[in-house]
């Protein structure tokens, strides 16, 4: 027996379809986990197993978060890491993260996903690259299944510790053979290549300054053998560029290409300092980028040339990045910051509200190598969110409700539907008891910080 869900009477439905239609008094009809019809409320079926009245709401495709480190929700605003750039920030945090436990991974992932979902995100990647004390990527995947989020779990890793010229302390790095073996196990256990998949695995050594060239190359071979995507950090700030020039005698883009890390199945986080040759090469090869504006501002990494990248044809998605370098992981807020930061760097017409929404939906889908999310049209996965225009932050902004979502103070969703399941109803998560999760999370955050003292 199939189950149907109708969202009707929306002030506007933002489709992100080929014509970028915005449908006034719009409706979306869902059967099970797939969108069957999108149109005006008058033209769609009037009944369904569940009906949501979206009067005075804006309906948009679920936002796609392409870069995160969810465990970092336990280490927000750590005093010693509040005011440093990337390398200083990392060296202050590694010793704390060395005490992570499997329970901490599970609970922090639930917390981070709850925050993302309430802020309009329905699909997220998470880049977990530190595995002390028996932590496994399985812990994150379990949390995603529990809360009902579409999840691209990236098996990160670090293998070059300080004694070998890397940045992380030796106690948090892993053996390269073990990394590749565990990555293969995860792909074979969890990766779902099918359309509308709720979980996929990504091969994701942490960064050029924490793994070897061999691991980068072997990771690419492993990923391509299994048809899964590749993800890492690249060209984040000027020190990152200097490291690449000194160690490899190459720019980060040249190094990525040399390791086989370009193509439509690869996306790199940040790329704030990617040079013009790198931008053109990424465009030519279909290599994607996760733009993380808040983190880039927080760590003073610079302003990624997103306008230039999009004009050159690079696929760009948005990422909130880990909660220790963007202490407010609000996906609609990140969309707003993407728009504002491009304007700071490149002028008032460098990014419109609709362009920002497009990279947060279609852009993210493309970067994750998916064609079944990011737009509301028949045959797409049933992932959408509703924002209530009656909130005070939108007051007076009804002249253009779609732009208001991005220009006004970021709001939480009224409803979120993920894979056809109503995960947020009337602003409340339906799948987990958030109060209970937060209580556990805050206790574990204190335990973690105290363990490093
Ligand atoms: Zn990151």
């Amino acid at each position: 027996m199939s189950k149907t869900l109708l969202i009707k009477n929306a002030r506007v439905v933002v489709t992100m379809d080929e014509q970028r239609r915005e449908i006034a008094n719009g409706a979306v009809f869902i059967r099970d986990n797939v969108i069957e019809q999108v149109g005006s409320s008058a033209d769609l079926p009037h009944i369904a197993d569940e009906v949501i009245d979206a009067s005075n709401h804006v309906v948009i495709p679920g936002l796609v978060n392409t870069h995160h480190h969810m465990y970092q929700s336990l280490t927000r605003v750590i005093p010693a890491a509040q005011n440093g750039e990337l390398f200083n920030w990392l060296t202050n945090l590694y010793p704390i993260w060395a005490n992570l436990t499997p329970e901490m991974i599970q609970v922090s992932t639930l917390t981070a996903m709850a925050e993302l979902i309430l802020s309009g995100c329905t699909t997220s990647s998470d880049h977990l690259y530190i595995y002390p004390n028996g932590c496994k990527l399985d812990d994150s995947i379990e949390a995603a299944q529990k809360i009902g989020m579409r999840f691209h779990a990236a098996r990160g890793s670090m293998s070059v510790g300080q004694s070998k010229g890397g940045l992380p302390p030796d106690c948090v790095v892993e053996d390269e053979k073990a990394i590749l073996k565990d990555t293969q196990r995860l792909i074979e256990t969890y990766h779902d290549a099918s359309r509308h998949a709720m979980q996929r695995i990504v091969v994701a050594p942490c960064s050029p300054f924490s793994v070897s060239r061999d691991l980068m190359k072997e990771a690419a071979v492993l990923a391509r053998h299994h048809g899964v995507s590749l993800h890492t950090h690249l060209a984040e700030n000027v020190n990152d560029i200097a490291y690449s020039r000194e160690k490899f005698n190459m720019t980060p883009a040249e190094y990525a290409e040399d390791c086989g890390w370009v193509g439509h199945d690869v996306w790199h986080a940040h790329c704030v300092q990617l040079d013009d040759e790198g931008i053109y090469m990424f465009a030519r090869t279909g290599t994607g980028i996760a733009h993380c504006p808040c983190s880039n501002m927080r760590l003073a990494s610079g302003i990624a040339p997103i306008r230039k990248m999009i004009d050159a044809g690079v696929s760009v998605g948005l990422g909130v990045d880990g909660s220790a370098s963007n202490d407010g992981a609000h996906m609609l807020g990140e969309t707003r910051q993407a728009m504002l930061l491009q304007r700071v760097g490149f002028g008032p017409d460098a990014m419109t509200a609709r362009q920002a929404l497009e990279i947060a939906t279609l852009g993210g889908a493309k970067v994750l190598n998916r064609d079944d999310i990011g737009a509301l049209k028949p045959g797409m996965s049933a992932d959408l969110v509703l924002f209530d225009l009656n909130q005070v932050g939108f007051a007076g902004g009804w002249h253009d409700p779609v732009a208001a979502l991005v220009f006004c103070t970021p709001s939480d969703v009224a409803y979120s539907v993920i894979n056809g399941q109503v995960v947020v109803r009337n602003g409340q998560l339906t799948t987990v008891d958030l109060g209970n999760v937060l209580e556990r999370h805050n206790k574990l955050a204190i335990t973690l910080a105290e363990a490093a003292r």
Side-chain angles (χ1 to χ4, degrees):
M1 269 289 283
S2 66
K3 189 175 173 295
T4 55
L5 171 64
L6 172 67
I7 292 105
K8 65 170 189 181
N9 303 332
R11 177 87 180 183
V12 56
V13 172
V14 179
T15 63
M16 290 292 168
D17 65 5
E18 284 74 10
Q19 298 82 42
R20 303 293 187 271
R21 282 184 307 152
E22 294 176 2
I23 304 168
N25 192 15
V28 181
F29 187 80
I30 293 163
R31 188 178 301 278
D32 295 328
N33 60 337
V34 179
I35 295 171
E36 204 167 86
Q37 297 182 58
V38 180
S40 77
S41 295
D43 297 340
L44 260 62
H46 296 283
I47 53 166
D49 295 322
E50 182 173 357
V51 179
I52 296 171
D53 180 9
S55 302
N56 298 329
H57 288 68
V58 179
V59 180
I60 64 171
L63 304 176
V64 179
N65 178 37
T66 61
H67 189 64
H68 207 328
H69 313 288
M70 298 191 184
Y71 72 88
Q72 291 180 9
S73 298
L74 294 159
T75 53
R76 282 179 154 152
V77 294
I78 292 282
Q82 283 179 13
N83 304 317
E85 61 73 58
L86 176 67
F87 286 9
N88 166 280
W89 173 88
L90 276 170
T91 42
N92 274 303
L93 287 167
Y94 285 136
I96 301 178
W97 297 338
N99 295 299
L100 283 165
T101 65
E103 185 192 13
M104 289 176 185
I105 300 291
Q106 285 175 28
V107 176
S108 59
T109 304
L110 271 182
T111 301
M113 287 184 168
E115 183 177 23
L116 282 174
I117 290 170
L118 289 168
S119 72
C121 180
T122 55
T123 298
S124 185
S125 185
D126 185 44
H127 191 184
L128 180 61
Y129 53 79
I130 189 163
Y131 294 90
N133 310 312
C135 293
K136 288 193 167 73
L137 192 60
D138 310 58
D139 301 319
S140 308
I141 293 167
E142 198 177 299
Q145 290 168 344
K146 197 168 178 185
I147 203 164
M149 182 166 226
R150 202 178 295 281
F151 189 37
H152 285 224
R155 205 308 181 176
S157 53
M158 299 192 290
S159 65
V160 180
Q162 275 160 7
S163 65
K164 290 182 188 155
L167 193 70
D170 290 356
C171 66
V172 294
V173 304
E174 296 176 88
D175 170 71
E176 298 197 345
K177 279 203 173 61
I179 291 167
L180 290 164
K181 197 169 165 221
D182 188 51
T183 309
Q184 176 158 358
R185 172 189 71 82
L186 289 159
I187 295 168
E188 288 167 353
T189 309
Y190 297 107
H191 185 71
D192 180 358
S194 68
R195 194 169 172 81
H196 313 303
M198 286 295 281
Q199 61 195 27
R200 289 200 178 151
I201 299 294
V202 179
V203 181
C206 186
S207 63
F209 54 82
S210 57
V211 302
S212 73
R213 186 189 291 246
D214 282 351
L215 184 62
M216 290 293 284
K217 287 186 172 174
E218 284 175 41
V221 171
L222 176 71
R224 293 201 167 108
H225 178 73
H226 291 276
V228 308
S229 287
L230 287 158
H231 179 51
T232 193
H233 294 90
L234 202 76
E236 184 162 346
N237 71 5
V238 290
N239 293 335
D240 199 356
I241 306 292
Y243 184 94
S244 184
R245 288 218 174 270
E246 190 191 319
K247 291 277 173 184
F248 313 122
N249 197 27
M250 290 180 184
T251 66
E254 287 166 349
Y255 181 65
E257 187 176 34
D258 181 65
C259 294
W261 276 71
V262 292
H264 66 94
D265 53 352
V266 183
W267 86 103
H268 296 283
H270 304 301
C271 297
V272 175
Q273 306 293 345
L274 196 67
D275 58 5
D276 285 358
E277 288 71 28
I279 291 174
Y280 300 134
M281 194 256 287
F282 276 28
R284 203 168 56 240
T285 54
T287 309
I289 281 173
H291 174 45
C292 308
C294 285
S295 171
N296 297 161
M297 287 188 272
R298 210 278 204 183
L299 298 173
S301 301
I303 304 175
I306 299 303
R307 177 77 267 153
K308 189 193 262 187
M309 290 173 179
I310 292 172
D311 290 345
V314 178
S315 300
V316 176
L318 274 191
V320 297
D321 203 0
S323 311
S325 68
N326 171 9
D327 312 71
H330 196 288
M331 198 57 204
L332 187 62
E334 203 68 27
T335 309
R336 181 177 191 240
Q337 294 292 3
M339 176 184 78
L340 296 177
L341 186 57
Q342 284 307 291
R343 292 174 178 215
V344 173
F346 311 106
D349 59 352
M351 189 178 286
T352 67
R354 283 173 172 80
Q355 286 165 344
L357 267 185
E358 183 165 326
I359 61 172
T361 52
L362 285 177
K366 184 136 192 239
V367 161
L368 295 186
N369 220 7
R370 295 189 76 128
D371 61 3
D372 56 351
I373 58 170
L376 304 180
K377 55 184 185 178
M380 300 295 274
S381 303
D383 291 4
L384 55 83
V385 292
L386 278 67
F387 289 94
D388 182 358
L389 290 169
N390 279 317
Q391 294 178 86
V392 66
F394 296 130
W398 293 42
H399 313 289
D400 185 349
V402 178
L405 287 188
V406 184
F407 272 97
C408 298
T409 301
S411 150
D412 280 359
V413 297
Y415 287 84
S416 174
V417 177
I418 306 179
N419 208 40
Q421 183 186 11
V422 181
V423 173
V424 177
R425 183 179 276 116
N426 294 318
Q428 301 295 317
L429 282 160
T430 61
T431 46
V432 298
D433 175 350
L434 185 57
N436 179 268
V437 171
L438 295 183
E439 196 183 325
R440 288 176 69 199
H441 182 93
N442 288 329
K443 276 187 190 145
L444 291 168
I446 290 167
T447 307
L448 182 63
E450 282 178 350
R453 283 208 187 111

